[in-house]
Structure formats: C-alpha cells, structure tokens
C-alpha cells in the first residue's frame, strides 16, 4: 500500500484555528456562542488600506510582484523599524510574506538542519513547535508559570543551551500568556544569548498592543545580536488585517535573500493587492485601539479575580488572558437534570464551557500548558460582559 510521508503522519491542524472553525460552524447553525477563542482583532481594517486595495484592483496591480515584496513596502517597513524600534535595516534586509506565519516558517527552513535545537519558552504559540519539527528541528521547552509571570530568566535560558542549540525564540508580548519582557529583562536575556553562537527569532507581532510598559526589540541590544536576529512582525494584529495575509521579517541580508529564493519556489510574492493595502496601513496604528484593549483586559481580569479556583498574573500585552484552572479538575458540574459530570481535565472544562455555557475558549494543551486555558479579549465589551456572566453561572454550578 502507498505510504504517506512521516511528516503527514505527524502533523495536526492548528488548534486555535480549529476551535475557531468549530465555534463559527456552531454559530452558523444558530447556537448563540460568545467566541473568545481565536486571536483576531474585532476592529475593521483601516479604511485607507481597503481603499488602497480597491485602487490596486481597479488599477490592475494584480500581477506577480518581486518575490520578497514591492520595494515601496519594504522601504516603508524599514522606516517603521527605525521609527518604532530604533533598528536600522535596508529594504534588502526585509522580506514580506503571506503572514508572519510564513515568515517564521521561512526562517526555520533556512536555519535548521535535522536535530538542531531551538530553545522555546513555554507556554508557546501553537505553531512554533510544529514549524520547528516540520523543519527537522527539536524544540527545547523552557517551562515558565505564573510564579515568574510566564517569563524565562537568564539562568533558565542558560541551562537550556547545548552544543546543538541553533536558535532561541523570544515572543514579547507573548501569545498565549500576554507576558511582556521589560527592556531590562530583554537585555539580561540578550547578554546570555550573545555568549553562544545562536540565532534569535524575535516574534514582535503584538508590539503595539502593550499596556503601560515599553516594547524593546532584542535586536537593539548590540550589533553582534542584530547580525544574528530575525525580527518578525506583521499587519494582522496591529492593523486588524488577519485575512490579508501580510507579515515580514528583517534579518541578516544573506539569509533574507535565501528566504526569498525559498519563497520563490513555494508561494512567490504575497498578494499584490494586500501589499498595497499594507503599505497604506503602515504608520496608522490608532492608540485608541490600545486604550480599548486595556479596558477590556482590566474588565476580564477583574472578573477572573472573583472566580474561586482560577488565577493568573496580569498580562501586560497582546489580547490574551491565560488563567490556571487546574484546581477545578476533579470537581463536578451539576446539570439541569440533576446528573453530575466529573471534570477530568482543563480540556474537558473547555468542552463543557462551550457546550453548557456557550463560551468558546482555547484549552492550554496546544500551548504546552494543560492546566490553563486562553481567553482572547479581542471582542466587544458587550460580548465580554455576556461571556463573563455565562462563565460565572457555569462556575457556580461546580461542586
Ligand atoms: N506570531 C504569533 C505570536 C501569533 O499569535 C500569530 C497569530 N496569527 C502569528 C505569529 C501569525 O500571524 P499572521 O500569520 O496572521 O501574520
Ligand atoms: N495567532 C492567532 C491565535 O493564536 C490566530 C490563529 C493562529 O494562527 O494560530 O489565535
């Protein structure tokens, strides 16, 4: 019999996208669910981006472009990196792809040989370990928990290095925890990383969604580190453009060129229309968005603090809260008909939240933290109020 590849046998769908799809299917069938699962801003795409896309279509800007993105966009991104992050890059050191997800995959494909290790703080975003493994690499998890605000320390980082370490991944503000490293914390990690011959993959896609603290790109630390860093970012979160699929990476010139060669054989350029939209969106981040997200975070956090058995540190960025619900495992949910369901795991709790309370959240298992679950507060205050009421009533039925 024909055998499919080992790779095909090992891969499973992104749990965040899978839960979102399941939730949307239930909603489409008429079930009234509040969707707190996927990490997708509820704000509309900036109008000027949409208008630029329409102009691109009517102007017939609908053909292949340079594989790594049109030079105006790469120039605009270089300006942004200088203005927002004090990082100096030439357009030739930047490659635009179909979402930061593709940027990350390009990087891992270009730096990993079979068996190479990537130090990955855990909890992690679901796609990092999958992509690393698809590229033959081995994720080396450095566990963090609530006690350190889900942040790794220089000591823990040092312990994770081996002769096989090829790269370290830093994601600040982080998904799923919302944790943000302060500039001093980043500098302390950078000092350790600089001692080892390794690359740094710095996923900064949530950099603008940060509440009362400062974002600091690790590539700023020194010329040595900048020369080995990949700064990943995109338009999905900051500009509410998830569906347009535009992300980018700034990094070492030779590897950026190699990534473009790789991309030329896989997808070639990101959509010409989306590139024009992204160009128009650059520099338009509305700080009121940040205020709105902060208000939502404070509201959800205040609710969680009132729920017995749930706990989490205050997340300073992104639009996620990642409570620990481990202490609820083993309790029973009282059903309408008097039956009682034992909660076997936090995954099970999330299933019951969906089926009984009609609130969709993502279990922590896919993020490497089976005692937690992720709430995305990238939805309206009204939805959040409804969801919190539903979760409160659900928790009141536990015994
Ligand atoms: N990095 C992180 C941490 C994310 O949460 C996401 C979510 N989509 C991405 C990268 C990828 O974003 P996109 O491909 O939409 O640019
Ligand atoms: N990154 C978002 C999330 O974590 C979008 C879905 C995905 O690409 O994983 O929900």
């Amino acid at each position: 019999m024909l055998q499919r590849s080992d790779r095909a046998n090992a891969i499973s769908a992104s749990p965040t996208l899978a839960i979102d799809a399941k939730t949307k299917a239930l909603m489409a069938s008429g079930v009234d669910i509040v969707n707190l699962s996927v990490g997708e801003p509820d704000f509309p795409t900036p109008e000027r981006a949409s208008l630029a896309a329409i102009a691109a279509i009517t102007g017939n800007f609908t053909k292949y472009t340079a594989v790594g993105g049109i030079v105006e966009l790469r120039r605009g991104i270089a300006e942004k990196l200088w203005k927002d992050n004090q990082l100096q890059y030439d357009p030739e050191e930047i490659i635009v792809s179909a979402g930061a997800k593709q940027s990350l995959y390009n990087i891992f494909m270009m730096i990993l040989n079979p068996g190479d290790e990537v130090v990955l703080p855990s909890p992690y975003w679901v796609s990092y370990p999958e992509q690393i493994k698809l590229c033959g690499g081995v994720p080396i998890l450095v566990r963090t928990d609530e006690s350190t605000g889900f942040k790794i320390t220089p000591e823990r980082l040092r312990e994770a290095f081996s002769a096989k370490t090829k790269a370290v991944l830093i994601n600040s503000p982080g998904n799923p925890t919302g944790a943000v490293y302060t500039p001093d914390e980043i500098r302390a990690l950078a000092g350790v990383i600089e001692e080892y011959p390794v690359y740094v993959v710095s996923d900064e896609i949530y950099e603008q969604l940060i509440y009362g603290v400062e974002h600091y790109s690790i590539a700023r630390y020194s010329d040595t580190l900048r020369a080995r860093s990949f700064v990943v970012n995109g338009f999905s979160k900051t500009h509410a453009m998830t569906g347009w699929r535009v992300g980018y990476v700034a990094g070492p010139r030779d590897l950026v060129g190699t990534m473009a060669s790789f991309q030329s054989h896989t997808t070639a350029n990101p959509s010409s229309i989306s590139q024009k939209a992204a160009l128009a969106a650059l520099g338009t981040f509305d700080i009121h968005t940040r205020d709105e997200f902060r208000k939502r975070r404070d509201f959800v956090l205040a609710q969680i603090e009132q729920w017995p058995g749930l706990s989490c540190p205050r997340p300073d960025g992104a639009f996620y809260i990642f409570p620990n619900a481990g202490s609820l495992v083993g309790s029973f949910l009282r059903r309408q008909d008097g039956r009682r369901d034992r909660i076997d795991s936090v995954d099970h709790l999330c299933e019951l939240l969906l089926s009984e309370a009609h609130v969709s959240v993502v279990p922590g298992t896919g993020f490497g933290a089976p005692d937690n679950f992720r709430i995305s507060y990238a939805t309206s205050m009204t939805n959040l109020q409804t969801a919190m009421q539903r979760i409160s009533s659900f928790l009141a039925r536990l015994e």
Side-chain angles (χ1 to χ4, degrees):
M1 204 181 80
L2 272 177
Q3 298 289 316
R4 57 188 204 157
S5 72
D6 295 343
R7 215 176 285 123
N9 289 331
I11 195 79
S12 54
S14 158
T16 43
L17 293 178
I19 288 164
D20 185 51
K22 180 177 169 189
T23 307
K24 285 182 176 149
L26 279 169
M27 289 163 91
S29 73
V31 189
D32 165 30
I33 291 172
V34 185
N35 188 2
L36 307 184
S37 66
V38 78
E40 173 162 75
D42 55 318
F43 298 104
T45 291
E47 193 182 7
R48 49 180 295 162
S50 302
L51 292 175
I54 292 167
I57 295 171
T58 54
N60 206 27
F61 191 76
T62 50
K63 307 288 165 67
Y64 291 131
T65 72
V67 167
I70 54 176
V71 72
E72 305 91 290
L73 179 56
R74 284 182 287 120
R75 231 181 257 137
I77 291 168
E79 278 167 25
K80 175 252 168 290
L81 288 168
W82 176 243
K83 193 162 75 55
D84 293 349
N85 311 107
Q86 291 75 53
L87 292 170
Q88 199 175 357
Y89 283 98
D90 291 339
E92 294 69 37
E93 294 172 299
I94 294 166
I95 165 171
V96 185
S97 302
K101 205 176 265 195
Q102 186 181 17
S103 308
L104 287 159
Y105 192 65
N106 284 346
I107 297 168
F108 295 131
M109 279 300 275
M110 292 305 104
I111 63 174
L112 297 180
N113 281 321
D116 281 352
E117 295 179 353
V118 180
V119 175
L120 179 61
S122 166
Y124 45 75
W125 175 48
V126 292
S127 292
Y128 297 140
E130 293 307 317
Q131 291 198 353
I132 292 166
K133 286 187 274 181
L134 278 168
C135 296
V138 181
I140 301 296
L141 304 183
V142 182
R143 300 205 179 278
T144 68
D145 59 23
E146 292 80 6
S147 65
T148 55
F150 292 115
K151 293 190 247 186
I152 52 167
T153 58
E155 297 71 35
R156 295 296 312 282
L157 178 63
R158 197 185 286 284
E159 283 162 20
F161 280 112
S162 81
K164 291 188 185 156
T165 310
K166 196 61 165 292
V168 179
L169 194 138
I170 304 287
N171 172 215
S172 176
N175 181 1
T177 63
V180 180
Y181 290 85
T182 65
D184 278 347
E185 286 166 341
I186 291 280
R187 281 190 281 265
L189 297 178
V192 174
I193 296 171
E194 218 182 36
E195 292 175 35
Y196 299 83
V198 297
Y199 291 110
V200 183
V201 181
S202 180
D203 184 344
E204 304 181 13
I205 197 158
Y206 295 99
E207 67 160 338
Q208 297 289 352
L209 306 177
I210 189 160
Y211 317 111
V213 286
E214 190 193 333
H215 173 71
Y216 181 88
S217 174
I218 193 163
R220 249 179 93 178
Y221 178 72
S222 66
D223 289 344
T224 315
L225 218 56
R226 181 200 174 284
R228 301 199 235 128
S229 294
F230 296 91
V231 177
V232 178
N233 210 323
F235 293 79
S236 287
K237 317 289 171 172
T238 307
H239 298 291
M241 291 177 68
T242 45
W244 298 81
R245 312 306 303 131
V246 191
Y248 57 88
V249 52
R253 190 179 297 254
D254 61 325
L255 278 162
V256 164
T258 320
M259 278 188 250
S261 303
F262 174 58
Q263 188 165 298
S264 77
H265 293 296
T266 53
T267 57
N269 60 276
S271 151
S272 59
I273 300 155
S274 295
Q275 289 187 64
K276 285 287 191 183
L279 180 58
L282 264 176
T284 65
F285 177 69
D286 179 357
I287 51 162
H288 295 110
T289 309
R290 191 180 289 153
D291 296 340
E292 178 60 27
F293 276 131
R294 185 187 189 136
K295 215 164 63 191
R296 296 174 185 180
R297 178 205 60 179
D298 291 346
F299 170 71
V300 176
L301 206 56
Q303 296 289 307
I304 293 175
E305 277 162 8
Q306 288 170 23
W307 292 335
L310 274 100
S311 64
C312 70
R314 190 190 64 196
D316 285 325
F319 35 59
Y320 305 114
I321 299 192
F322 201 54
N324 187 311
S327 69
L328 299 181
V329 174
S331 54
F332 289 83
L333 176 72
R334 204 174 352 96
R335 288 187 180 267
Q336 247 80 26
D337 61 7
R339 278 188 304 132
R340 290 158 93 235
D341 268 334
R342 184 181 185 277
I343 295 180
D344 296 326
S345 62
V346 175
D347 282 32
H348 186 208
L349 175 79
C350 294
E351 276 169 34
L352 290 168
L353 274 173
L354 182 60
S355 62
E356 295 292 306
H358 291 178
V359 177
S360 180
V361 295
V362 187
T365 308
F367 304 104
D371 277 348
N372 296 63
F373 66 88
R374 191 188 77 176
I375 292 176
S376 163
Y377 56 85
T379 189
S380 69
M381 205 58 174
T382 315
N383 276 346
L384 289 173
Q385 278 159 349
T386 310
M388 295 305 116
Q389 272 161 10
R390 290 183 184 181
I391 299 177
S392 294
S393 316
F394 174 91
L395 293 174
R397 288 165 55 199
L398 295 187
E399 42 190 44

